[in-house]
Amino acid sequence: MKILVVDDEKLLVKGIKFNLENEGYQVDVAYDGLEAVELARNGGYDLIILDVMMPELDGLGACMRIREFSTVPIIMLTARSEDMDKVIGFEYGADDYITKPFNILELKARVRALLRRSVLVSNVAGVVMNVGHIMIDTEKRIAKKGEETVELTVKEFDVFELLAKNPGRVYSRETLLNIVWGYEYQGDIRTVDVHIRRLREKLEENPAEPEYIMTKWGVGYYIKG
């Protein structure tokens, strides 16, 4: 597995690289957002760890640019702990978030969880599902809106796949967090709302009046069967 670590704190990068390499990962490093984008474009990474506050291009900007061409899992690092900062990170396409200072064991656990999900998905027999004009292939991790291929992040795909496999079943935000992000996830519950909104923007013909990705007010979200 190949991981890119990006942070302008070189001592921190050195420590993360050392610990991840001890776990058997191949690790590349970068120290600013522009370099991160270029490496991500050409590096074939399985996961990226990306700091928010960096020179040249900050982590949010780098994440947004990477999302233009890749759905690689991204873990954001930030020195700020406000919930809204985390929600903004998810808006830009991040899959997970860790606040500095953090325990390296926690970071390694988050890395393993995201990579494990990717491996499990790649080993599951493919299923092609159609929800109106929306199609997803669970083996190739491809989503289409009509004939147009749509790039979904790891978590966006996981959320839609779960809902599509269980049409009509309403999932609360808490349940979606537990299933898709894991019971150990301590992030803001509004993360789910962000991902649902992004799915509607990407897949629905009219996101303001969705036909398939529905809300049951006061309960949760479901796919209209």
Side-chain angles (χ1 to χ4, degrees), residues 14-34:
K14 182 178 180 180
I16 295 174
K17 176 180 170 66
F18 174 80
N19 279 276
L20 291 180
E21 287 181 337
N22 279 346
E23 295 289 315
Y25 301 115
Q26 179 183 344
V27 181
D28 290 345
V29 301
Y31 304 105
D32 65 69
L34 289 178

Side-chain angles (χ1 to χ4, degrees), residues 87-102:
V87 171
I88 292 172
F90 289 121
E91 289 270 11
Y92 280 76
D95 295 288
D96 204 349
Y97 225 102
I98 297 182
T99 302
K100 297 178 179 176
F102 54 83

